[in-house]
Amino acid sequence: MVSKLIKVMRLTALVACFIIALAMPAWAEMQALDDESLSGVSGQSGITLDVEFNTEVAEVAYFEDGQGIALQGVRLSSALDPEEYIEMRLALDILDDGTLAIAYKSGNQGRFSIEDIRFVDTPGVTPLTSDVSLGGLFLDFELDGLTEINGNATEYVIDTVFTLSNGRFGYRTNGNELFLDDFTLDYSAPGATLDFNLATGQIEYTSANQETELSVEAIRLSTNPANRGRSTDIDSGSTLSSYGSFWSKMASDLSIQLSAGGQEGVEGLTVDVQSTIERLDLAYGDDTDWASSGYWLGALGGAGSVSIDGLTIDILADPDSAGDPSKDNGVGLALGLDQAQVNLRFQDVVLGETKANIDAYLINSALPVSSIGSVEANLLLADGLYNGVARTNQVYLQAGGNADAGPQGLRLDTQLSLVSTNNESNFVYVDDGNALMLSRLEAYADGDITIDITAAGVQGSTEFFDGLRLGFEDLDFGYQVEGYRLGQDTGDSDALKTKQLQAATAIPGVSGGLFGLAGFPSLEGRLNGQITLGPGGNVGDEGIAINADISLTDGVMAKYLDADGNGVWLSGLNYDRHLRDMFLDLTNDGLLIYETESWGRMDVTDLRIGNKVSGASFGRVVLETYEQGSETLIVAGGAGEVCIGGRGVDATACQADGGRWDDRGGQGVSFISTRFFKQSVEAENKRNRFTWETGRIGEGTASVQNGTGLSLVFDNFTTNDGDGLNDTFGIQTERNLDVANAYVVKKAAGADSNGVVGNKGDVKVMNGDGSYRYVDPAALTSQDLNSLPLGIAVRTRTQFKEFDIDSVQLGHSSGQSDTLIYGLKFQNFDVTSDITTTVLD
Amino acid sequence: MMRSLVALVFLAFISFVVRAELASIDDSELADVTGQSGVYLSGEVSINENGGPLANGYFGDCADATKVCGARISVQTEQNGGWFVLDNIRGSIAFEGLTFQIREINSGFGGDGALFNAQVVEIGLPGTLRFDDFEYTLATSSTERPDDPGFQQVEIMGVEMSGDVTLEGNLLIFPTP
C-alpha cells in the first residue's frame, strides 16, 4: 500500500516536474548534451509522433476550500491562425540505462492562450463578459528541445535543454495588449532532481546548474482590440510601437519545496525557494540592432542569493470584506509570506553602451565601459514594526483593475514589510572602490495597486493614456534609513556595517527621483494616482513615454536625518505631480529624460526642526512649479579631476594657486538638466510660486489652519534668454556625484566627540582598522592623502541667462496683500559649487 | 520704510525658507547643547569665474574690458520705478569645516533656553573663508535690463575681496513661526 502510494506520489511529482520545467522562469543559454546522451535518441527503437492540436477548453479551474480560480477560454492552436493546428513532433525513446528521452520540435509557431482568469465559487458556470477578470494571457512559441528522465531509488533525475524561439508573450485587458515580441529563450537544467520527501511531506525540486538566456526583440503595445498577438496593426499594417529590447542571462541553482496547505483552511499550497545566482546580466536596449547601433542600460556582473520561506498560496476573500466593505474587491489569490531575503550585487551599471560593447565587456571585464559603478541591494521581507505599527507581507491578486478601465485588469491588495533590525536591508553604491551604504533601510506599504493595459481616452471619470497603467488607491507607504556609512569596498557589505554612521541628507540629483518620491532619508504618506508607461521615446522610434498623476497626502519627508532621529522635516506634506509625455531614451551620452509638460505643488504644513511630529516649525511653505520642455540627462561618470579652492588644470598648478587637487576617478554619476519655468496658466492651476506662511491660527498645534497667517509670496518665477521674450536656455545644471575623499580639518584643539585628540587645523586621516587620527597638514604623506575619510562629493554648475520673479507680495490674514517688490531679476549667472559632505566628529 | 521692507525681503530671500535669530553664545551655554550627529562640509562656491552665458551689448567675455562678465541681480521696489542693482557679481569662496546639525536648546540664554526647549539648526562656521577675487557693484538702474533702450546706471560703490576671513563660532537658527 505504501509502495503504491509512493509510486502515485512520484508520478504526481513527475508531472509537477514537467510543468515546472516547461514553465520555468526563463533566460537560458542552450547547453548541448553530450554525444552519449544524444546517441540514445536515435529513433530506432522509440516512438516518433507527429501531432497536431487545435484544442479549446471552456474552463480549467482549481478549487481549494470552496473557492476557485478558473482559466477560461483556454486554447492551444496555431499562432498564425487560431483555427489552424499547432504542429509538433515528439520522439520518445527508452535509453539503454532506462532513461526516458523525450525530444520535441515544433512544426510551426503555436499559441497557448487564456481569454480570462476569474475567481469562481462554482465550476462550469458560463461567465458574463462584464464579470471582472484578471485579464488574458497568450504565449506564442516554437520549441526545440530534449528532456530526459531517469529515476533512482529516491528521486527522478531530469535533464532538460530547449530553445523557445519566435516567442511572444502578452497580457491583455479590455482589448489592449502589452507583449514581449519575437523573443528567444534558451534554457538548460542538467541533473535536476524531483522527489517526494516522505519525511517532510514535500515535493522537492532541485536544479544545480541551470542556465537561461532571454533575448526580447521588442516590447510592444497594441490598443486595437482587433489585434491579437500581432507585431503589426491589423488595420493600418504599421508596426506596433515598442518600448525597446531586453536581454538577460543567468546562471543559478534553484531548490523548491512544495507543501500542501496554505495560510487558511485545510487546502492551499506552501512554497519554499532557495536560489544562488552565480551570474546575472540584465540589459534594456533602445533603437538597437543588437550590435553597434542603438544604446543600452545594463546591470552587469550580478551575483547573489534569493530565499523565500513560507510563501503560501490560497484563494481567499478580501480581508476588507469584514472590516471595510467599501474596499472589498472580492475573492483573490492570496500570497502570504513568512520571510524572503534577497542579496544581489551588480558589478557595473552601464549607461549608453552599445550591445557590442556590452558583449565585449562580458567576455573581458577589463575593457572600459560607461559605468556609474557597482550597486548592491540587500532586502529582508518579514513581519515587523514600522514606527511601532505591526506590518506584514501579504498580497491579494484580485480581478478588475481600475474600476473605470473595464472589467479586465489586476488589483493587488498589498501589504509589504521590509525590516532591518540588524541592518539586513540596505542599499550600497560603490564608486571607484569607495562605498556608500544607505544603512538600515526599513519600509512598508499597505493599500491597493491596480494594473491595466489602457488606451488613451476618458472613461467614466478617469483619463487614461496609452500603455501599462499602474494605479495607486490609498496606498499607505513609508521608508527610512538610519543614515549613511562610507568605507572602502571589500566586496562584502557586512564590512560597511561597522563604519561610522553619518547623518543622511537629501542627495542632489538622486533625491526626488521616481516622481519625487524616492531617495530621501525618510518619506511616509498616502499615495493615490497613476503612472502609465507607454511605448515610444523622443529620440528614435523606441523608448518609454510616461504620463503620470501622483498625489501624496498626509506625508512627512526628511531632507536631513540625524542618527538619533532628529532632522529637517517636511511635515503635513501634501504633494502632487503631473507629467505629460515624459520620454525616456537611451543615447550615446546616457539616459535622456524629456518632459513635454510637468507641473506640481508641494504644500508643507510645517517645516520642522528636530522631531518630525513635535519639532519646532518654521511655518508653512508651498512650492508650485510649471515647466515645459525640461530635460535631464543621466550620465555615467562623476566630476573626474577637480581643483578645490584654487585654479589649475593639473595638480601642480592647482596646488601652486593654493588649491587642493582631487581625482574622483572615472566612475560616479552626473545629472545634466535644463529646466524651463513657464508663465502661469491660472485656469489650469499651473504656476511657479513659492509661499511662506507664518502666524497661522493654531500655530504650533496639530490643528493649525493654513491660509490664516501672514504670507510672503514669490509669484510667477520664469526663465528667459535675457530678453524677456525667448526661452531656449533655461536653467542649466550639471551635477557630478561621487563617493570620494573628504578633506576634514579639525576646528578646535583637543579631543573630538569620539575622544580622538588633535590640534586645530590638523587633518583627519583614516587608519586601516576604521579608526582615525589627526595629522598636521605639513606632515601629511601621500599615503595619508590616500587615506582621507570618505564623503559624498557633489560638484554643481548652474547657468542661466535670466530668472525672473514677477512680484514679491506680503499676504495678510484678512486676505489682502501688498506688493513688496514689483520685479526681481537674476541675470547672467554661472555658479559652480563643489561640496563634500562627511561625518561630523 | 520701503527700503527697510526691501532689505527685509532680500534677507528673507537669501535665507529662502528659514527665519533665523542670530545670537552669540558663550562656552557655558554651549555646554547645555547636546547631540553629536551632523555633517561636515568642505568645498567652494564660485560665481562667473569665466563670465556668464549672456552675450549682448552689456554682458560679455571677461577678457573684454568693455563688457560686464559678472552676474546681476536687480530689484524694483516701486511700480514702474527704478531698480536697485547688485552688478558684476563674481569671484569664489572656499571653506573647510562648515558644519550642519540639529541641536536641542533647553537651558541657557538667560532663561530663554528653558522656555524655548526645542531643537534648532546649528551651522558651525568654518573658521576660515578664502575669498578669491570676489567682487560686486552696488548701483541703481533706470531699466530692468542693461541692454534696454534708455538704460542708465549709477554705480554707488564697488566691493572687492581677496584673502582669508576668519569666522568662528556657530550660527543658531531658531524656528519661531
Side-chain angles (χ1 to χ4, degrees):
Chain A
M1 181 66 186
V2 172
S3 170
K4 188 175 180 182
L5 178 64
I6 292 173
K7 283 183 179 176
V8 170
M9 287 177 170
R10 289 185 68 180
L11 182 59
T12 306
L14 176 61
V15 172
C17 171
F18 224 130
I19 293 170
I20 290 169
L22 291 176
M24 192 57 63
W27 317 309
E29 178 177 321
M30 190 79 149
Q31 190 171 87
L33 297 184
D34 56 32
D35 290 344
E36 186 179 350
S37 300
L38 288 172
S39 64
V41 192
S42 61
Q44 297 297 318
S45 59
I47 304 169
T48 299
L49 299 173
D50 286 320
V51 295
E52 294 181 341
F53 296 110
N54 192 325
T55 304
E56 190 166 7
V57 180
E59 181 175 291
V60 177
Y62 164 74
F63 277 80
E64 64 117 328
D65 293 321
Q67 300 285 358
I69 181 169
L71 312 183
Q72 297 173 336
V74 178
R75 186 158 197 175
L76 184 62
S77 67
S78 161
L80 193 61
D81 182 351
E83 299 304 319
E84 296 296 327
Y85 295 89
I86 177 176
E87 300 167 5
M88 181 78 76
R89 167 165 291 185
L90 299 175
L92 289 80
D93 199 359
I94 305 296
L95 307 186
D96 293 343
D97 62 354
T99 298
L100 170 64
I102 307 169
Y104 34 90
K105 184 174 177 59
S106 295
N108 64 354
Q109 185 186 27
R111 171 169 297 171
F112 175 74
S113 61
I114 302 168
E115 194 67 21
D116 275 294
I117 304 172
R118 290 190 170 96
F119 295 100
V120 297
D121 54 13
T122 306
V125 177
T126 303
L128 301 173
T129 54
S130 58
D131 290 346
V132 293
S133 93
L134 294 174
L137 298 170
F138 63 91
L139 172 69
D140 294 353
F141 59 93
E142 288 184 31
L143 270 177
D144 185 359
L146 171 66
T147 297
E148 295 182 346
I149 305 168
N150 202 339
N152 56 36
T154 58
E155 60 194 8
Y156 289 105
V157 179
I158 305 162
D159 299 322
T160 300
V161 57
F162 69 81
T163 295
L164 190 161
S165 60
N166 212 4
R168 194 181 280 135
F169 177 71
Y171 175 53
R172 181 181 176 97
T173 67
N174 306 304
N176 307 306
E177 295 178 349
L178 177 72
F179 59 99
L180 311 182
D181 194 22
D182 191 11
F183 73 81
T184 301
L185 168 66
D186 292 322
Y187 175 76
S188 72
T193 61
L194 181 69
D195 180 38
F196 176 76
N197 188 322
L198 202 56
T200 62
Q202 293 179 318
I203 297 172
E204 297 175 345
Y205 174 82
T206 62
S207 176
N209 298 295
Q210 65 178 19
E211 296 190 3
T212 58
E213 181 170 3
L214 175 67
S215 303
V216 181
E217 185 64 33
I219 304 167
R220 300 192 192 280
L221 174 76
S222 166
T223 57
N224 183 348
N227 291 332
R228 283 181 176 270
R230 296 172 52 88
S231 303
T232 57
D233 184 78
I234 195 169
D235 295 328
S236 68
S238 57
T239 303
L240 296 170
S241 298
S242 168
Y243 294 79
S245 304
F246 179 77
W247 171 83
S248 73
K249 186 174 181 180
M250 180 169 73
S252 63
D253 63 51
L254 175 68
S255 296
I256 301 174
Q257 300 86 43
L258 304 178
S259 307
Q263 61 172 315
E264 288 186 20
V266 296
E267 296 177 325
L269 192 64
T270 298
V271 183
D272 297 296
V273 179
Q274 305 84 39
S275 179
T276 299
I277 299 169
E278 290 146 13
R279 175 80 188 201
L280 175 61
D281 300 298
L282 303 169
Y284 160 75
D286 183 0
D287 290 305
T288 179
D289 66 350
W290 294 74
S292 57
S293 179
Y295 298 98
W296 292 73
L297 163 65
L300 309 178
S305 62
V306 177
S307 68
I308 299 172
D309 300 331
L311 172 64
T312 57
I313 302 173
D314 292 89
I315 302 171
L316 298 174
D318 191 320
D320 291 321
S321 59
D324 188 357
S326 66
K327 292 186 176 179
D328 179 5
N329 289 289
V331 171
L333 187 68
L335 307 176
L337 187 66
D338 285 343
Q339 178 174 298
Q341 189 154 20
V342 177
N343 305 99
L344 188 59
R345 176 187 175 113
F346 288 98
Q347 192 59 33
D348 281 291
V349 175
V350 301
L351 278 172
E353 281 291 0
T354 64
K355 187 63 166 57
N357 283 352
I358 288 176
D359 290 343
Y361 168 79
L362 293 175
I363 295 170
N364 178 8
S365 61
L367 292 175
V369 284
S370 300
S371 171
I372 69 168
S374 305
V375 296
E376 177 177 331
N378 301 297
L379 306 172
L380 175 61
L381 291 164
D383 290 355
L385 297 175
Y386 187 97
N387 284 350
V389 178
R391 302 290 177 183
T392 190
N393 291 285
Q394 179 118 18
V395 178
Y396 283 70
L397 278 68
Q398 299 168 322
N402 179 272
D404 285 338
Q408 291 183 317
L410 184 61
R411 176 177 293 271
L412 308 177
D413 188 333
T414 305
Q415 294 182 72
L416 295 176
S417 171
L418 182 73
V419 300
S420 195
T421 307
N422 296 307
N423 200 1
E424 296 92 345
S425 298
N426 52 60
F427 181 83
V428 178
Y429 168 62
V430 182
D431 170 9
D432 289 305
N434 301 322
L436 163 69
M437 171 182 278
L438 277 59
S439 185
R440 201 162 175 261
L441 172 64
E442 296 178 315
Y444 83 96
D446 186 358
D448 283 11
I449 300 171
T450 59
I451 300 176
D452 296 272
I453 314 300
T454 58
V458 176
Q459 290 180 222
S461 58
T462 307
E463 182 180 13
F464 293 97
F465 302 91
D466 287 342
L468 172 66
R469 183 185 191 276
L470 305 176
F472 308 100
E473 298 182 7
D474 291 342
L475 179 70
D476 294 333
F477 77 99
Y479 66 82
Q480 61 189 15
V481 296
E482 65 172 345
Y484 301 153
R485 298 181 191 271
L486 296 100
Q488 294 295 323
D489 178 45
T490 62
D492 179 8
S493 61
D494 284 346
L496 285 171
K497 295 177 182 176
T498 61
K499 300 298 182 187
Q500 206 173 357
L501 187 66
Q502 173 181 324
T505 57
I507 301 173
V510 176
S511 300
L514 283 180
F515 312 98
L517 301 175
F520 297 102
S522 176
L523 177 63
E524 298 163 11
R526 171 167 290 189
L527 195 62
N528 279 282
Q530 61 85 25
I531 299 169
T532 302
L533 308 175
N538 197 41
V539 180
D541 295 327
E542 295 185 328
I544 300 173
I546 298 177
N547 287 277
D549 298 281
I550 293 294
S551 170
L552 175 80
T553 53
D554 298 325
V556 58
M557 174 194 292
K559 289 283 193 178
Y560 166 91
L561 184 58
D562 267 353
D564 55 9
N566 288 321
V568 176
W569 297 95
L570 310 186
S571 297
L573 173 64
N574 293 294
Y575 165 75
D576 64 74
R577 181 155 172 78
H578 309 272
L579 296 167
R580 293 293 176 269
D581 289 335
M582 182 174 90
F583 298 109
L584 274 60
D585 288 280
L586 284 161
T587 70
N588 184 32
D589 296 319
L591 176 63
L592 180 63
I593 304 168
Y594 177 84
E595 299 175 13
T596 303
E597 186 180 38
S598 65
W599 68 100
R601 173 187 171 94
M602 176 176 282
D603 190 338
V604 180
T605 302
D606 283 295
L607 174 59
R608 293 190 190 279
I609 299 299
N611 185 279
K612 67 179 177 182
V613 175
S614 60
S617 168
F618 284 110
R620 177 197 189 197
V621 291
V622 183
L623 177 64
E624 297 162 273
T625 60
Y626 175 47
E627 300 173 53
Q628 286 182 1
S630 296
E631 66 179 36
T632 301
L633 177 66
I634 303 175
V635 181
E641 296 175 328
V642 294
C643 179
I644 310 297
R647 302 293 166 262
V649 296
D650 56 29
T652 303
C654 175
Q655 287 159 9
D657 193 47
R660 179 169 50 80
W661 187 253
D662 193 5
D663 184 355
R664 295 175 183 168
Q667 295 184 332
V669 61
S670 294
F671 302 87
I672 303 168
S673 67
T674 303
R675 303 183 70 181
F676 300 98
F677 294 100
K678 296 301 183 183
Q679 290 286 343
S680 300
V681 184
E682 290 296 329
E684 300 177 15
N685 282 327
K686 299 171 181 174
R687 64 177 71 88
N688 293 299
R689 178 189 291 166
F690 176 78
T691 304
W692 177 31
E693 183 184 5
T694 63
R696 297 161 292 176
I697 295 174
E699 196 72 70
T701 71
S703 56
V704 64
Q705 297 178 33
N706 288 333
T708 60
L710 189 70
S711 61
L712 189 65
V713 180
F714 296 81
D715 194 23
N716 199 26
F717 55 85
T718 57
T719 49
N720 69 71
D721 290 348
D723 54 9
L725 300 172
N726 301 300
D727 190 14
T728 61
F729 194 87
I731 296 179
Q732 299 184 5
T733 302
E734 177 174 347
R735 288 192 182 92
N736 313 118
L737 178 64
D738 291 277
V739 182
N741 288 328
Y743 195 80
V744 176
V745 177
K746 197 163 191 318
K747 296 177 69 176
D752 66 16
S753 62
N754 297 312
V756 181
V757 177
N759 296 316
K760 181 180 180 181
D762 284 357
V763 176
K764 182 179 177 182
V765 175
M766 302 303 294
N767 299 319
D769 61 358
S771 63
Y772 60 90
R773 64 188 188 278
Y774 290 104
V775 178
D776 187 322
L780 283 171
T781 66
S782 58
Q783 186 175 359
D784 291 338
L785 291 171
N786 288 326
S787 303
L788 297 177
L790 294 176
I792 301 170
V794 182
R795 184 177 181 84
T796 305
R797 183 184 182 189
T798 300
Q799 302 177 80
F800 55 86
K801 291 184 175 179
E802 185 169 314
F803 179 77
D804 286 355
I805 300 174
D806 261 9
S807 65
V808 180
Q809 297 169 13
L810 189 63
H812 301 273
S813 56
S814 63
Q816 293 181 321
S817 64
D818 292 325
T819 302
L820 296 179
I821 292 177
Y822 289 86
L824 184 56
K825 296 187 182 304
F826 300 80
Q827 289 185 295
N828 197 39
F829 271 75
D830 185 347
V831 181
T832 300
S833 65
D834 204 315
I835 308 294
T836 301
T837 309
T838 188
V839 67
L840 174 61
D841 296 308
Chain B
M1 178 64 181
M2 183 56 76
R3 288 192 178 188
S4 300
L5 281 173
V6 170
L8 179 65
V9 169
F10 227 111
L11 286 172
F13 183 78
I14 290 170
S15 61
F16 219 52
V17 296
V18 296
R19 191 165 67 175
E21 178 182 327
L22 188 60
S24 62
I25 51 178
D26 57 29
D27 289 345
S28 62
E29 288 172 321
L30 277 175
D32 297 326
V33 171
T34 60
Q36 294 300 331
S37 295
V39 291
Y40 177 106
L41 300 100
S42 59
E44 70 165 342
V45 178
S46 68
I47 302 173
N48 288 45
E49 188 178 353
N50 298 308
L54 268 175
N56 54 30
Y58 186 79
F59 293 109
D61 193 278
C62 291
D64 185 348
T66 65
K67 299 288 179 66
V68 171
C69 71
R72 178 184 175 94
I73 302 173
S74 49
V75 181
Q76 187 182 45
T77 56
E78 293 181 22
Q79 196 165 19
N80 303 319
W83 296 75
F84 288 99
V85 175
L86 279 180
D87 202 6
N88 201 23
I89 307 165
R90 58 190 301 255
S92 68
I93 306 169
F95 57 89
E96 307 280 0
L98 184 73
T99 61
F100 179 97
Q101 59 184 323
I102 307 297
R103 292 287 198 190
E104 183 169 352
I105 301 295
N106 53 21
S107 61
F109 299 95
D112 290 342
L115 294 173
F116 181 74
N117 192 27
Q119 289 107 339
V120 302
V121 174
E122 181 203 275
I123 297 175
L125 300 177
T128 301
L129 279 179
R130 183 183 180 201
F131 285 86
D132 188 4
D133 296 330
F134 188 84
E135 63 178 88
Y136 64 87
T137 300
L138 181 63
T140 57
S141 170
S142 59
T143 62
E144 58 184 326
R145 297 183 182 87
D147 57 342
D148 285 343
F151 167 71
Q152 287 185 323
Q153 181 159 303
V154 177
E155 297 186 352
I156 299 171
M157 60 177 285
V159 174
E160 291 186 22
M161 290 186 282
S162 283
D164 294 345
V165 174
T166 300
L167 287 175
E168 294 193 335
N170 298 314
L171 176 67
L172 299 182
I173 303 175
F174 289 74
T176 52

